[in-house]
Amino acid sequence: MFNILLFIIGTIIGSFLNVVIYRIPKGKSIIYPSNSFCPKCGHKLSPLDLIPILSWIFLKGRCRYCGEPISIKYPLVELLTGTLFVLVFSVYGISIKTITSLILVSVLIAVSFIDIKYKEIPTEITVTGFILVLAAYIFSFITKIMTIQELLDYLYGFLLAAVVMFIFALPGWMGGGDFKLSAFIGFVLGFKLTIVFLFFSFVIGGLVSMAQMIFAKKFVEKYVPFAPYLALGSITALLFGHQIINIYLQIL
């Protein structure tokens, strides 16, 4: 029952992320105007038009007012957010780690879709996520939920990701947005999971680039949106990182 409630909350947050994804790259406020509107005709949307996932299905993917197609991206973001919220909770339960991980997931979804379309990672989204996570850590430390060792582990994750990505960003192989996002991811994951995150991000990114060149006979563009690969790597680490580390240690 709680998982269903969490999924619904996730889809609602996913609906808000759609606003972020649409407005932030255009330099528009996510607060004003407070009402949602059709991006094609500008008509104000009613509450019935804003039910996550279901409204898109009932409207058959078209605006009620102008009949123009509504991108499948909107229900996809909502479904993805709700699903990841449930998966994160299934791994970490009721904990500060769950809260910070849900913040991370939300940031990753927003910046990934923006990076794919606009080839940029808005700093304000990454910084907002960092501030929220830092506030959670400070609260946990003050209330003695988190020990100094745990706090240092997250700091080491932050430093590891920052140093590695800085090395790649220095010659221009990575953008500043990738660097900041990676440091934020490390701050949430901690030291060991950051190693898993970095490994899988580069492996997934490399495999996809090779597949493009081999099967699509397409050269990799000068700027490749790397946020989706960082997101896939970090979510892999978040959900399966501890198992991966244990398997690796057993092999050794």
Side-chain angles (χ1 to χ4, degrees):
M1 187 66 181
F2 184 78
N3 282 341
I4 295 175
L5 177 61
L6 188 60
F7 177 80
I8 293 173
I9 293 173
T11 61
I12 294 171
I13 292 177
S15 182
F16 171 72
L17 293 180
N18 277 321
V19 175
V20 172
I21 293 167
Y22 177 77
R23 295 190 186 184
I24 290 293
K26 297 178 182 295
K28 297 182 178 180
S29 170
I30 60 174
I31 300 174
Y32 180 84
S34 58
N35 58 281
S36 296
F37 54 86
C38 171
K40 302 290 180 59
C41 66
H43 196 286
K44 178 181 177 180
L45 301 180
S46 71
L48 289 177
D49 301 321
L50 298 173
I51 302 173
I53 303 174
L54 296 180
S55 289
W56 189 89
I57 295 174
F58 292 148
L59 292 171
K60 298 179 180 179
R62 292 187 175 275
C63 174
R64 184 194 305 273
Y65 309 100
C66 65
E68 287 294 316
I70 302 171
S71 173
I72 195 173
K73 170 181 70 69
Y74 292 99
L76 178 61
V77 168
E78 294 161 353
L79 177 62
L80 185 60
T81 308
T83 301
L84 286 175
F85 270 39
V86 172
L87 290 176
V88 166
F89 178 77
S90 69
V91 174
Y92 297 102
I94 300 176
S95 64
I96 289 295
K97 184 71 173 181
T98 293
I99 294 173
T100 57
S101 297
L102 295 184
I103 295 170
L104 173 61
V105 164
S106 300
V107 169
L108 290 174
I109 291 173
V111 299
S112 294
F113 278 89
I114 291 174
D115 198 26
I116 290 171
K117 184 172 182 178
Y118 298 98
K119 296 184 177 179
E120 66 173 308
I121 300 176
T123 299
E124 54 263 54
I125 297 178
T126 305
V127 170
T128 300
F130 182 85
I131 292 172
L132 292 174
V133 169
L134 181 60
Y137 286 163
I138 293 173
F139 172 79
S140 301
F141 184 69
I142 291 174
T143 56
K144 298 184 179 180
I145 296 174
M146 181 184 294
T147 64
I148 185 65
Q149 288 78 16
E150 290 173 317
L151 188 58
L152 286 173
D153 181 61
Y154 294 125
L155 180 59
Y156 295 151
F158 169 82
L159 293 173
L160 174 62
V163 169
V164 171
M165 295 306 290
F166 180 74
I167 292 172
F168 282 93
L170 202 57
W173 297 340
M174 295 286 174
D178 298 318
F179 164 72
K180 290 174 232 179
L181 179 61
S182 297
F184 168 61
I185 293 171
F187 192 51
V188 176
L189 294 181
F191 187 78
K192 290 181 180 179
L193 292 185
T194 295
I195 297 174
V196 178
F197 145 63
L198 291 170
F199 174 79
F200 278 97
S201 295
F202 284 106
V203 168
I204 295 171
L207 290 175
V208 172
S209 297
M210 288 176 60
Q212 285 182 330
M213 290 188 287
I214 295 172
F215 298 106
K217 299 186 184 301
K218 176 182 176 183
F219 288 102
V220 179
E221 300 176 23
K222 184 176 181 181
Y223 179 84
V224 177
F226 205 66
Y229 304 132
L230 295 176
L232 289 172
S234 58
I235 289 172
T236 299
L238 196 63
L239 299 180
F240 310 107
H242 294 293
Q243 295 94 316
I244 292 171
I245 292 171
N246 288 336
I247 291 172
Y248 176 76
L249 292 176
Q250 287 174 3
I251 294 174
L252 288 181

